[in-house]
Amino acid sequence: IKVLLAPELPEDLLSAPRGRYGNASQLARAAHVSVMSAFRFVQQLQRDGHLDASGSHLRLVRREELFRRWQAAALRRINEVPMRFLLRGSDVRAPLEQMLDSGRACLALFAAADALGFGFVHGVPPHVYVRKFGPASLSAWKNLVPAAPGELPDVIVRQAPSPESVFRGVVRPGGVASADILQV
């Protein structure tokens, strides 16, 4: 979906190839997925009435309904843990940026919206997506520990709902890794 929508969105809001694709094979190459996966995806979009293939390129239609379905699919339970930085001084920005520079994390939810210039919530700890969630993946950040019950977290670490989609679309507003506008 992101690859099909990319030509309509500014590059600073979505990192994806920008082209027009006439068939599933072309879409597969651009999205770096198998032709079979792209073929099934295109078939499903056509079956559900979300793809207009009558022109020279694949074009999404009935987008509002498609986005509602996409959003509903993303509402499943997500693993997340409130965390604190051990060494942070008075400002959490430096250790947070260090975490985001690792290539294994990016801003999520309200923090990503704020970084992209669409913020509307203030005063909550930033959420950060990670590719994999678990002790092994979190141990890479030795300065990060789970917040004690009742302790205000510095950051909330959350398993990315669709890691490939999240991390392929990462943008860098102000040099900081952030989920793209569609993910937000």
Side-chain angles (χ1 to χ4, degrees):
I1 291 175
K2 290 180 181 184
V3 171
L4 291 173
L5 291 171
E8 301 175 37
L9 294 167
E11 288 184 31
D12 60 338
L13 296 180
L14 175 65
S15 174
R18 281 157 165 64
R20 302 284 182 194
Y21 310 100
N23 58 46
S25 296
Q26 293 172 355
L27 181 62
R29 273 192 300 282
H32 302 290
V33 299
S34 73
V35 173
M36 200 55 175
S37 292
F39 182 75
R40 284 191 302 266
F41 175 68
V42 167
Q43 274 191 320
Q44 184 68 45
L45 286 173
Q46 286 173 327
R47 214 175 8 255
D48 294 345
H50 294 295
L51 193 64
D52 175 15
S54 65
S56 61
H57 63 275
L58 303 172
R59 189 173 68 85
L60 292 172
V61 294
R62 296 180 46 232
R63 294 175 179 192
E64 197 169 316
E65 180 187 335
L66 178 61
F67 294 151
R68 274 196 303 272
R69 290 178 65 190
W70 186 7
Q71 187 176 28
L75 290 178
R76 66 184 188 272
R77 178 149 161 49
I78 300 291
N79 289 329
E80 67 179 23
V81 174
M83 308 286 280
R84 291 198 46 88
F85 292 110
L86 288 173
L87 306 171
R88 66 179 173 104
S90 61
D91 189 4
V92 300
R93 282 183 291 199
L96 178 60
E97 286 177 13
Q98 192 173 29
M99 183 180 186
L100 298 171
D101 285 343
S102 71
R104 295 184 314 257
C106 69
L107 292 176
L109 306 175
F110 299 128
D114 191 44
L116 295 171
F118 293 93
F120 60 94
V121 173
H122 302 285
V124 297
H127 282 71
V128 172
Y129 282 140
V130 294
R131 286 183 184 271
K132 291 186 177 181
F133 191 84
S137 59
L138 295 179
S139 69
W141 299 293
K142 300 197 184 318
N143 187 26
L144 200 59
V145 296
E151 185 178 32
L152 186 63
D154 294 322
V155 63
I156 299 180
V157 178
R158 176 178 257 236
Q159 166 72 46
S162 300
E164 287 302 314
S165 180
V166 168
F167 285 95
R168 284 185 186 182
V170 163
V171 292
R172 298 190 173 277
V176 176
S178 172
D180 64 70
I181 194 67
L182 293 176
Q183 203 64 51
V184 171

